[in-house]
Amino acid sequence: MVEIGADGRTWLLSGPTSSYGLRLGDEDELLHLHWGPRIALADAEALAAGPGPEYWAFEATLDGHEEYPVEGGPRFVRPALSVRTPERRGTEWRFEGYGTGGAEGTEGAAGAGDDELRLRFSDSGLGITLHYRMRAGSDVVERWVTLANEGPALEVLRADSATWTLPLRDGWRLSQLHGRWAAESRLTRSDLTYGEKVIGSRRGHTGHQHLPWVALDADGTATEELGEVYGCALAWSGSWRIAVAQLPDARVQITGGAGYDDSGLLRLEPGEGFVTPVFAGLWSDGGFGGASRAWHAYQREHVIPDADRYRPVLYNSWEATEFDISEEQQRALARRAAEAGIELFVVDDGWFGARTSDRAGLGDWTPNRDRFPGGLKPLADHVHGLGMQFGIWVEPEMVNQDSDLYRAHPDWVQFQPGRRRTELRNQLVLNLAREDVQEYLWERLDTLLSGAPVDYVKWDFNRAFTDAGWPGEAYPQRLWVDHVHALYRLLDRLRAAHPGVAFESCSGGGGRIDLGIMSRTDQVWTSDNTDPLDRLAIQHGYSQVHPARAMAAWVTDSPNTQLNGRVSSLRFRFVSAMAGVLGVGGDLTRWSGEELAEARTWVELYKEIRPVVQGGDLYRLRAPEGGLSAVQYVRGDEAVVLAWLQAQHHGEPVPPLRLRGLDPTASYECLETREVHRGAVLLHHGLRTGLRGDLDATVVRLRRK
Ligand code: DGJ
């Protein structure tokens, strides 16, 4: 709901539990009013009528109060918008008007019941529109900015999507998700201090190093289930930056958008425009858990395509075979996968071109005839015959120098004349900003998806940008931004042309997880780290913002061959992977009949609990910090608890799990033991798991009676 004050200069957006308010000051400066619990328009008007910011000669009156601080004039905060022409730098904007509702000028389609507010400003021919949208039934505020240049050419040095302002409190604690390859999404919390904390990626993709998300709670008072939490997440899959600033008067602002540096995002010629990605914000008073559930619901309802269609259990051959693949071996794996009850069989890297190692073949998206003499169709038919869907791996944005594509088009990669072309994993990045490259990829991928009955595409991206140059193109180059737009367009076009095909976003594991890619893919590969214990911490971090519905997780071999050699039971590996979209990635040809039969039982159990895991509300009962950890999913009358015991120590009894989200007045039957528990007892005294020893795990299903 968008409400407008009587003077037409105060606006209030409200969701089910929260409101967001702003107003125009006397000199058309756009000031923040409120972000927090739901308030009435009269409250917003009272705030607007209250005293404005205080004046001090050595401070900027506007700093910490503006909705979108532009560069120029009496402001010392980091500008959200910075533009320059040959004559001058900065913006002196005038308010032009506002609009509400409708889809005019929006980014992404607005649905019925969504509410949007648009505020239009201009400066010397540059139109600047700030967009605010709350989706029906959600407390997430989506913000973005459109620039339309009707004046002379200018350079956009920086165009953030939004600046978020927090209420004045004594202090703030910052939560973030940091990491590296095979150790993504590590949750860390620290007190905010004066100055700026900047996270981001200057790598051309979202990066393993930080998820584009932050959360802040006042004075470090929020717990998992209680307290106010503010969160922001950026919908962008290229380089990005989020800066959290505590200003001299202790106010906190968070500004974020595409691009890492302020040195040049793009150039706008007369008549050109730019739409920033969405930077979404959420206030919740349900603690970190409540905030996560609201983010998850928002993504399931408004971001992830067809999120109500549950993801199948997949098999992926990468850890089992790496590059050493053949049709016969894939058929053998497929037969084993079908025996285990798997629903989707995915051939990973190595099926195309001269791709027998990571040194060759990327770019040549035709089946390797030595390995697949009849192309992919015979294998796809075999897999379908076994009752499974068929999927393939691709890495379209990349090329090996040893490939027909590179030999034919050495200028199709990102490079700077006279400079070394840096190879990482022996590959170069294609310049997706080029239309010929876009057309080539469209034609190859469309042909591929039309030539064999493919149901699923795992879309990988295995190196960062290092030589992002485009000879002949003036700086600042659009390449960084256009690469992401071209990727999005390609995915959109493929999805439209092949509506039955599902896509997975992968970037060497979790290097491309963000709201932008998630709006175009059906699931994400969370990490190349498939060790079931390490995974618990990665999944804990991921779950702060993203839902289980999109979180792919595989059961692989023990000892863990990829990383740490850890030995763990099938039980522990399965229960760890069942917390998301279950997959299997071990070498099934080496699994014993007993192991396969056990796997089948777990897969069957997963299919039963899938609607609750993939569609339910997540409660993190205990964090994976050693000892006992557990998550619970609740959907309607059903609840599922997954619990893991890392190590049991004598004299330290394993505590019962206090459950959440149940009706205290109801009774719940445990489908494992047939015991009936009272809701109030489960909530206040807890559920005994019976876990013991090291690396033990369990699944408990509860149904309301
Ligand atoms: C990185 C991915 O994360 C792996 O799962 C696998 O697909 C390899 N790339 C293949 O090269």
Side-chain angles (χ1 to χ4, degrees):
M1 176 169 60
V2 185
E3 293 169 282
I4 301 149
D7 61 357
R9 294 169 74 87
T10 302
W11 298 273
L12 186 70
L13 291 97
S14 295
T17 71
S18 69
S19 294
Y20 191 97
L22 52 153
R23 74 170 170 105
L24 270 184
D26 296 339
E27 290 172 26
D28 280 4
E29 61 287 21
L30 186 63
L31 301 174
H32 179 75
L33 273 186
H34 172 81
W35 186 22
R38 191 172 167 135
I39 59 173
L41 181 62
D43 301 320
E45 287 180 309
L47 275 170
E54 277 180 83
Y55 171 78
W56 303 97
F58 279 99
E59 298 298 340
T61 310
L62 295 173
D63 281 357
H65 299 273
E66 282 190 295
E67 275 294 289
Y68 192 69
V70 295
E71 185 177 27
R75 300 175 177 93
F76 304 117
V77 291
R78 183 186 279 275
L81 181 70
S82 171
V83 298
R84 83 173 163 208
T85 63
E87 290 82 40
R88 61 175 182 236
R89 184 170 167 150
T91 305
E92 242 178 45
W93 60 0
R94 284 189 337 272
F95 180 63
E96 301 232 302
Y98 70 91
T100 58
E104 173 222 327
T106 59
E107 200 271 352
D114 296 344
D115 265 310
E116 189 186 331
L117 169 66
R118 292 178 295 282
L119 301 166
R120 294 190 306 277
F121 297 81
S122 77
D123 177 23
S124 316
L126 176 65
I128 306 158
T129 304
L130 310 192
H131 301 258
Y132 296 78
R133 177 169 62 195
M134 289 187 92
R135 304 288 206 152
S138 174
D139 280 306
V140 170
V141 181
E142 296 176 336
R143 290 182 57 185
W144 72 99
V145 172
T146 49
L147 302 177
N149 188 23
E150 297 305 334
L154 49 85
E155 282 177 40
V156 179
L157 302 175
R158 184 84 202 159
D160 274 347
S161 305
T163 299
W164 300 94
T165 305
L166 303 186
L168 198 53
R169 297 284 185 269
D170 288 344
W172 289 92
R173 179 173 58 169
L174 171 72
S175 300
Q176 61 183 106
L177 296 166
H178 74 102
R180 50 196 297 202
W181 174 77
E184 300 90 338
S185 310
R186 301 303 174 99
L187 176 65
T188 180
R189 302 195 203 279
S190 53
D191 287 341
L192 207 61
T193 53
Y194 286 91
E196 277 189 322
K197 173 83 181 179
V198 178
I199 61 169
S201 156
R202 55 179 2 136
R203 297 160 187 259
H205 67 132
T206 323
H208 301 82
Q209 293 68 26
H210 302 279
L211 258 65
W213 167 88
V214 290
L216 289 116
D217 64 305
D219 311 320
T221 48
T223 64
E224 183 61 20
E225 295 299 334
L226 293 171
E228 286 188 303
V229 176
Y230 289 83
C232 308
L234 187 66
W236 185 244
S237 312
S239 294
W240 59 276
R241 186 183 68 201
I242 296 176
V244 184
Q246 185 166 25
L247 304 176
D249 66 355
R251 266 169 218 283
V252 170
Q253 285 193 317
I254 304 151
T255 187
Y260 189 84
D261 300 311
D262 291 338
S263 54
L265 191 64
L266 44 91
R267 199 180 148 79
L268 287 185
E269 300 296 336
E272 288 187 337
F274 178 62
V275 183
T276 72
V278 165
F279 194 17
L282 169 76
W283 171 89
S284 162
D285 67 352
F288 297 111
S292 298
R293 285 187 288 283
W295 278 121
H296 297 174
Y298 161 70
Q299 285 163 77
R300 284 196 307 261
E301 279 154 38
H302 304 293
V303 177
I304 299 169
D306 301 322
D308 48 357
R309 283 219 300 260
Y310 300 127
R311 298 302 311 144
V313 180
L314 72 72
Y315 176 79
N316 179 298
S317 61
W318 173 248
E319 283 204 24
T321 64
E322 297 216 337
F323 291 103
D324 189 14
I325 70 173
S326 69
E327 184 174 333
E328 256 332 291
Q329 162 228 51
Q330 292 289 308
R331 282 174 182 257
L333 283 166
R335 284 192 292 275
R336 288 293 186 105
E339 271 176 52
I342 307 271
E343 300 162 306
L344 160 64
F345 182 86
V346 183
V347 181
D348 209 274
D349 203 347
W351 59 265
F352 53 90
R355 187 76 170 167
T356 53
S357 75
D358 62 15
R359 303 199 152 271
L362 279 180
D364 300 340
W365 300 109
T366 42
N368 179 315
R369 292 285 162 169
D370 295 335
R371 296 177 160 201
F372 296 89
L376 287 176
K377 189 164 183 312
L379 177 62
D381 289 343
H382 178 70
V383 167
H384 284 149
L386 291 166
M388 296 183 290
Q389 295 178 9
F390 178 70
I392 52 168
W393 177 96
V394 292
E395 194 179 359
E397 298 149 85
M398 301 290 166
V399 66
N400 286 115
Q401 296 216 26
D402 186 359
S403 68
D404 293 342
L405 180 64
Y406 188 76
R407 281 183 283 274
H409 299 288
D411 52 339
W412 276 13
V413 297
Q414 299 180 352
F415 74 103
Q416 304 201 42
R419 301 270 192 219
R420 187 186 311 123
R421 299 179 182 202
T422 311
E423 293 191 43
L424 296 173
R425 209 192 187 208
N426 305 306
Q427 63 198 54
L428 299 168
V429 187
L430 286 174
N431 181 355
L432 256 68
R434 293 180 62 124
E435 281 179 20
D436 43 12
V437 172
Q438 294 169 17
E439 265 319 293
Y440 170 80
L441 290 179
W442 156 253
E443 190 278 321
R444 287 313 314 142
L445 293 167
D446 179 50
T447 304
L448 196 58
L449 297 186
S450 310
V454 174
D455 307 295
Y456 185 82
V457 173
K458 174 179 175 181
W459 187 297
D460 209 342
F461 178 98
N462 278 303
R463 61 154 293 179
F465 294 7
T466 50
D467 315 298
W470 186 357
E473 278 293 308
Y475 281 85
Q477 293 200 325
R478 307 185 66 115
L479 178 153
W480 293 85
V481 162
D482 280 5
H483 185 102
V484 182
H485 284 151
L487 164 71
Y488 287 171
R489 272 200 309 277
L490 192 53
L491 279 166
D492 292 346
R493 203 171 163 192
L494 287 166
R495 290 190 78 96
H498 304 276
V501 179
F503 289 80
E504 169 178 320
S505 167
C506 171
S507 173
R512 190 145 70 186
I513 301 179
D514 59 82
L515 295 176
I517 202 74
M518 292 181 85
S519 68
R520 296 171 165 89
T521 50
D522 299 81
Q523 62 188 63
V524 297
W525 181 221
T526 320
S527 175
D528 274 346
N529 186 339
T530 58
D531 173 76
L533 183 61
D534 284 6
R535 257 308 173 100
L536 296 183
I538 295 171
Q539 294 176 176
H540 179 73
Y542 167 100
S543 77
Q544 300 296 315
V545 59
H546 299 302
R549 165 61 180 71
M551 185 181 79
W554 305 343
V555 174
T556 54
D557 293 331
S558 169
N560 185 279
T561 48
Q562 287 272 307
L563 292 170
N564 56 19
R566 181 175 281 120
V567 174
S568 57
S569 63
L570 261 189
R571 161 179 284 271
F572 194 82
R573 281 176 274 153
F574 263 101
V575 181
S576 170
M578 284 160 78
V581 177
L582 176 65
V584 176
D587 186 352
L588 295 182
T589 57
R590 291 174 186 225
W591 287 21
S592 67
E594 224 170 67
E595 284 174 317
L596 270 183
E598 183 180 339
R600 188 177 179 91
T601 317
W602 287 114
V603 169
E604 271 164 17
L605 177 60
Y606 179 74
K607 289 176 187 168
E608 268 180 50
I609 63 173
R610 172 163 50 197
V612 187
V613 172
Q614 293 191 16
D617 287 333
L618 170 76
Y619 294 84
R620 290 179 294 255
L621 302 181
R622 291 178 69 99
E625 283 154 2
L628 177 68
S629 64
V631 293
Q632 180 193 351
Y633 306 84
V634 180
R635 187 161 191 235
D637 290 342
E638 294 188 83
V640 172
V641 177
L642 306 182
W644 304 273
L645 181 63
Q646 186 175 340
Q648 191 181 16
H649 303 286
H650 180 69
E652 292 175 17
V654 180
L657 289 171
R658 283 185 63 189
L659 303 191
R660 306 272 181 199
L662 302 181
D663 178 352
T665 65
S667 290
Y668 292 85
E669 181 179 6
C670 170
L671 303 190
E672 287 28 80
T673 61
R674 295 290 162 200
E675 280 175 319
V676 175
H677 301 276
R678 299 186 64 82
V681 174
L682 291 172
L683 290 166
H684 296 280
H685 298 275
L687 173 80
R688 296 204 171 273
T689 58
L691 293 175
R692 59 196 307 273
D694 292 348
L695 296 185
D696 196 7
T698 192
V699 178
V700 180
R701 289 166 297 166
L702 296 165
R703 186 170 296 148
R704 189 188 178 121
K705 281 195 68 83

